[in-house]
Amino acid sequence: MIFLDVASFVLLTLGGFFVFVGALGLYRMPDVYTRMHAAGMVDTLGAALMIAGMMLQAGFSLVTLKLLTLLILFFFFSPVATHALARAALHAGVKPILQDEPGESDK
Amino acid sequence: MIYIAAIFAVLVAMALAVISALRGPTVFDRALAGNTIGTLAILLLSLVGFLTGRPEFLDIGITYGLLNLIGTLAVLKYFRFGDMGHDDEEEQAPL
């Protein structure tokens, strides 16, 4: 029984770490498209690890089924939203940064 | 105890997402940050549900997940075409 607690502890901590890394990337990245890449980290890896950690705590019950639905929902909806965002940004004329402007390479 | 640490991590991430939403120059940064805040809100909701021992919160989280996507797509469609009336068939933007 203790193994389940330790495993869910590790999973939740890792999930929290990746959620933080994703949000930090969302804040630090210079461009919309690179931010999208960082935000993807939050949706997929961070959320998946956290939900897996919660699943271990819930055991075989309806709650685990709901968590599984939530996980599948995240995995389907995050790419759809990101794809729509990229198309809308491209169509609206937001240019991706392809190479560093001169004199800005150290940033 | 572990849920408190996870909730704290999600809260810090949400604060960062709010800051990047306020800071983002283009409207698409804000839409992206809004989407991320929605995901984090669902995570926070399910974590609090687990902390207080109430599994009903997950239903709210699933519903909010559905709404979050629809909201993001609606905002994007509005800012892409300027109004909601367009659809993709008639106008093939040269991407």
Side-chain angles (χ1 to χ4, degrees), chain A residues 8-94:
Chain A
S8 69
F9 176 84
V10 168
L11 280 175
L12 277 170
T13 315
L14 273 177
F17 168 69
F18 279 114
V19 160
F20 175 70
V21 164
L24 194 65
L26 188 73
Y27 174 72
R28 288 270 308 156
M29 287 293 185
D31 180 62
V32 179
Y33 301 102
T34 43
R35 279 194 193 124
M36 246 181 270
H37 172 65
M41 171 93 74
V42 173
D43 287 346
T44 49
L45 197 56
L49 284 176
M50 278 199 161
I51 289 179
M54 283 189 269
M55 267 189 204
L56 287 185
Q57 286 292 338
F60 292 106
S61 68
L62 185 60
V63 174
T64 311
L65 189 65
K66 286 179 189 170
L67 280 169
L68 201 64
T69 322
L70 204 60
L71 194 64
I72 290 169
L73 197 130
F74 273 147
F75 278 171
F76 278 116
F77 281 176
S78 171
V80 166
T82 312
H83 177 72
L85 193 83
R87 271 179 66 106
L90 260 179
H91 183 273
V94 179

Side-chain angles (χ1 to χ4, degrees), chain A residues 8-9 12-13 16-17 19-20 23-24 26-29 31-32 35-36 39 42-43 46-47 50-51 53-55 57-58 63 66-67 69-70 73-74 77-78 80-82 84-92 94, chain B residues 2-3 6-7 9-10 12-14 16-17 19-20 23-26 28-29 31-33 35-36 39-40 42-43 46-47 50 55-56 58-59 61-62 65-66 69 72-73 76-77 79-81 88 91-93 95:
Chain A
S8 69
F9 176 84
L12 277 170
T13 315
F17 168 69
V19 160
F20 175 70
L24 194 65
L26 188 73
Y27 174 72
R28 288 270 308 156
M29 287 293 185
D31 180 62
V32 179
R35 279 194 193 124
M36 246 181 270
V42 173
D43 287 346
M50 278 199 161
I51 289 179
M54 283 189 269
M55 267 189 204
Q57 286 292 338
V63 174
K66 286 179 189 170
L67 280 169
T69 322
L70 204 60
L73 197 130
F74 273 147
F77 281 176
S78 171
V80 166
T82 312
L85 193 83
R87 271 179 66 106
L90 260 179
H91 183 273
V94 179
Chain B
I2 171 60
Y3 293 122
I7 284 175
V10 169
V12 167
M14 201 180 269
L16 270 170
I19 292 170
S20 71
R23 191 175 62 98
T26 64
F28 300 105
D29 297 317
L32 176 65
N35 187 15
T36 309
T39 313
L40 290 172
I42 299 169
L43 276 180
S46 47
L47 280 170
F50 262 79
E56 300 81 15
L58 287 174
D59 309 336
I62 292 173
L66 301 168
L69 178 71
T72 308
L73 292 182
L76 289 178
K77 182 169 183 181
F79 280 109
R80 173 176 173 152
F81 294 122
D88 245 352
E91 177 253 355
Q92 282 309 326
L95 282 187

